[in-house]
């Protein structure tokens, strides 16, 4: 088990808007006690930052491929690692 802190910044593509993906993502992140945020993008994708123990963040990166019932994730792009964020996980306004 790895409890070292990890922060990731990702973009999720596919049918991820209009299906409750942000709320689902926030619930999953909060269940893992992660910090960070999630928001819709004008491109139709979803952007998110997850911060917390490495094992929990890695687990979150596995489940984002599933999403809520009507979502269909077709790709996940990871950006440069951001500095860690503390505080409660947030659903942000669209970009």
């Amino acid at each position: 088990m790895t409890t070292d802190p990890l922060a990731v910044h990702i973009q999720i593509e596919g049918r991820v808007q209009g299906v409750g993906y942000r709320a689902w993502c926030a619930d999953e992140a909060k269940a893992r006690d992660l910090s960070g945020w999630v928001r819709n993008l004008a491109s139709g994708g979803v952007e998110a930052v997850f911060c917390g123990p490495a094992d929990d963040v890695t687990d979150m990166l596995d489940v984002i491929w599933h999403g809520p019932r009507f979502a269909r994730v077709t790709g996940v792009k990871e950006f440069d690692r951001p500095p860690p964020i503390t505080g409660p996980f947030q659903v942000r306004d669209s970009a």
Side-chain angles (χ1 to χ4, degrees), residues 43-75:
S43 66
V46 169
E47 181 181 23
V49 171
F50 303 113
C51 304
D55 284 348
D56 295 330
V57 172
T58 300
D59 185 51
M60 186 70 193
L61 292 174
D62 289 340
V63 301
I64 60 169
W65 285 92
H66 303 289
R69 182 176 178 194
F70 294 108
R72 187 177 52 103
V73 175
T74 59

Side-chain angles (χ1 to χ4, degrees):
M1 183 169 155
T2 305
T3 59
D4 294 335
L6 176 63
V8 296
H9 179 196
I10 61 170
Q11 183 171 327
I12 305 137
E13 297 297 331
R15 187 178 352 149
V16 291
Q17 289 191 21
V19 295
Y21 195 90
R22 285 183 305 161
W24 173 88
C25 193
D27 288 345
E28 292 291 323
K30 289 173 186 176
R32 290 163 178 78
D33 202 26
L34 299 178
S35 297
W37 52 266
V38 62
R39 68 179 176 181
N40 284 340
L41 296 172
S43 66
V46 169
E47 181 181 23
V49 171
F50 303 113
C51 304
D55 284 348
D56 295 330
V57 172
T58 300
D59 185 51
M60 186 70 193
L61 292 174
D62 289 340
V63 301
I64 60 169
W65 285 92
H66 303 289
R69 182 176 178 194
F70 294 108
R72 187 177 52 103
V73 175
T74 59
V76 176
K77 178 181 179 184
E78 188 171 337
F79 299 101
D80 290 336
R81 297 241 163 112
I85 297 172
T86 59
F89 197 86
Q90 301 173 8
V91 175
R92 291 189 174 174
D93 291 335
S94 299

